[in-house]
Amino acid sequence: MSATELDALLPALVDLRRDLHAHPELAYTEHRTAGIVARELRELGLEVHTGIGGTGVVATLRHGSGRGCIGLRADMDALPIVERSGLPHASTVAGVHHGCGHDGHTAMLLGAARHLARHPRFDGTVHFIFQPAEEGQGGAHAMIRDGLFERFPCDAVYALHNWPDLPLGHAQTRPGPIMAAADRFDITVHGRGGHAAMPQHTPDAILAASQLVTQLNTIVARAIDPVESAVLSVTQIEGGHAHNVLPGTAKVTGTVRSFNPAVQDRIEATLRAMAEGVARGSGTRVEVEYLRYYPATLNSADEARLALAAAADAGLHAAEAPHPAFTSEDFAFMLQAKPGAYLWLGQGRADPGPDGERALHHPSYDFNDNALPLGIRWFAAVAARALPAG
Ligand SMILES: [Zn+2]
Ligand SMILES: [Zn+2]
């Protein structure tokens, strides 16, 4: 790809990215964004399908006679954050902010579609997948349930995320885990409630919940192989309303992050057993809700290598990521269904700033437009490598 081919696209893409930033939309309400995406893709002459998994959009570009097909994915949703960037293109929607750079991801994939439609240096089929609701709401899962991969078969899927911890021009990924599984637990301990001066008449829900908090904190240290990585944090404990009343219930809530599905299974099973054990010992009854909302994001080995090779083709400093991140990612569902890889693309803002304002999900965060051509080059290089022409 020559620099001039891409340079011609950039001014309009920067405008589009900033327009998306100024008009952010929350999970499953990305109607304006999806409308712009669909219009841009139709203007390229691509076959466009809308309303997949809610507000998802897929466009298909075929070239040559190759039977191979890949999916390139971007996310479109914003976050419920009050923006404090003070930028001219800051959010015009109260309490909604593109604080994770999905405006940049959408603009990069549109740029890649435009570039590949004009200069199709691949042989096969590319599906451009624009998903809703990445931020904790499972938009990728919704698209898969809506028949994404039956309607648009993919041999492999690829995605990127802007990464403020890496300098601009750098990219990393790794075979195996790249982002963590995220689980939530809510344990309700039921006593009966009664007079605090007559504890002999009621099981003590507060005491049982307290025992549970300390026991849960031993799971990672004692039940998990020390060479594995996981986190369990109790983040909320609720119960009681008066100094002289033993409450009828107490509630313990928290989060679990892990990379290995076997570790995740072990943690859930141990947590359930501990809750039952505490209930038996204290005469209380427990209800355990354990919700696995995002699985671990697991790159397949060949596709992770292809993603790194494509990053080098794109002129990026490509390196294997030394370890995965403990945050989680909806693209994990696509990687459960298909081989593929997820790349971290440097944002050039490794210094978090005095207030951490360059970090993802910060009220002053803004996507770095200088990363736009780098992401477009990477997507194009992935297509060229995965669907080689001649
Ligand atoms: Zn995010
Ligand atoms: Zn994000």
Side-chain angles (χ1 to χ4, degrees):
M1 173 187 320
S2 76
T4 43
E5 283 172 15
L6 201 50
D7 285 350
L9 295 179
L10 285 177
L13 267 182
V14 170
D15 288 348
L16 186 142
R17 201 288 293 177
R18 293 183 182 183
D19 175 73
L20 295 178
H21 191 92
H23 302 92
E25 295 172 301
L26 293 174
Y28 296 116
T29 66
E30 306 92 338
H31 301 291
R32 180 182 184 277
T33 308
I36 290 170
V37 165
R39 188 189 68 217
E40 293 275 326
L41 295 166
R42 283 196 186 102
E43 279 173 10
L44 299 175
L46 271 59
E47 187 186 305
V48 179
H49 300 264
T50 59
I52 303 161
T55 44
V57 179
V58 179
T60 300
L61 176 63
R62 291 190 182 83
H63 186 252
S65 56
R67 297 170 65 89
C69 41
I70 59 166
L72 304 176
R73 167 276 202 179
D75 39 15
M76 301 189 290
D77 58 320
L79 286 156
I81 295 175
V82 176
E83 179 165 358
R84 285 198 277 108
S85 72
L87 292 164
H89 58 274
S91 175
T92 59
V93 184
V96 186
H97 169 39
H98 263 301
C100 205
H102 299 181
D103 48 346
H105 302 167
T106 299
M108 282 190 282
L109 192 56
L110 281 175
R114 189 162 285 262
H115 181 75
L116 285 168
R118 287 185 189 170
H119 308 283
R121 297 186 185 106
F122 66 92
D123 184 20
T125 301
V126 178
H127 299 297
F128 300 94
I129 302 168
F130 295 82
Q131 76 151 83
E134 189 285 324
E135 296 287 358
Q137 305 282 323
H141 195 222
M143 288 188 84
I144 293 167
R145 277 199 317 263
D146 209 2
L148 175 68
F149 292 128
E150 289 77 37
R151 294 169 67 185
F152 310 99
C154 294
D155 302 328
V157 286
Y158 296 88
L160 62 74
H161 205 293
N162 75 92
W163 211 248
D165 288 348
L166 286 178
L168 189 73
H170 288 240
Q172 291 188 353
T173 190
R174 65 199 300 280
I178 184 77
M179 307 285 277
D183 306 340
R184 171 193 175 130
F185 61 86
D186 293 276
I187 305 172
T188 308
V189 182
H190 297 274
R192 276 195 304 278
H195 201 295
M198 292 184 276
Q200 72 276 22
H201 293 317
T202 175
D204 186 342
I206 292 270
L207 181 59
S210 307
Q211 290 169 338
L212 199 48
V213 170
T214 53
Q215 287 199 21
L216 295 178
N217 274 283
T218 68
I219 294 178
V220 173
R222 300 290 90 180
I224 301 303
D225 185 333
V227 301
E228 297 281 355
S229 286
V231 180
L232 182 153
S233 290
V234 175
T235 54
Q236 265 180 289
I237 173 159
E238 283 172 34
H241 59 278
H243 85 281
N244 57 356
V245 176
L246 289 170
T249 61
K251 198 172 160 192
V252 175
T253 294
T255 189
V256 174
R257 306 294 165 111
S258 60
F259 300 106
N260 178 344
V263 168
Q264 188 181 22
D265 289 346
R266 184 82 197 269
I267 291 174
E268 179 179 348
T270 310
L271 177 145
R272 288 182 182 281
M274 278 181 174
E276 286 304 326
V278 165
R280 262 199 308 281
S282 61
T284 55
R285 181 171 64 78
V286 290
E287 272 176 87
V288 177
E289 282 180 58
Y290 193 99
L291 176 68
R292 301 183 179 204
Y293 62 94
Y294 281 173
T297 304
L298 303 175
N299 289 328
S300 47
D302 289 350
E303 284 70 20
R305 278 191 285 274
L306 187 148
L308 284 174
D313 295 346
L316 295 159
H317 297 279
E320 186 165 318
H323 49 73
F326 267 95
T327 44
S328 59
E329 166 59 56
D330 195 17
F331 187 60
F333 288 110
M334 295 199 187
L335 290 181
Q336 280 188 329
K338 298 289 168 186
Y342 180 81
L343 183 89
W344 295 337
L345 182 69
Q347 268 270 50
R349 291 169 181 176
D351 165 14
D355 186 31
E357 68 268 19
R358 284 158 191 160
L360 298 172
H361 294 204
H362 190 278
S364 296
Y365 168 89
D366 187 37
F367 179 81
N368 182 353
D369 286 320
N370 293 321
L372 285 172
L374 309 181
I376 294 170
R377 278 198 209 119
W378 179 71
F379 278 127
V382 166
R385 274 196 177 257
L387 306 168

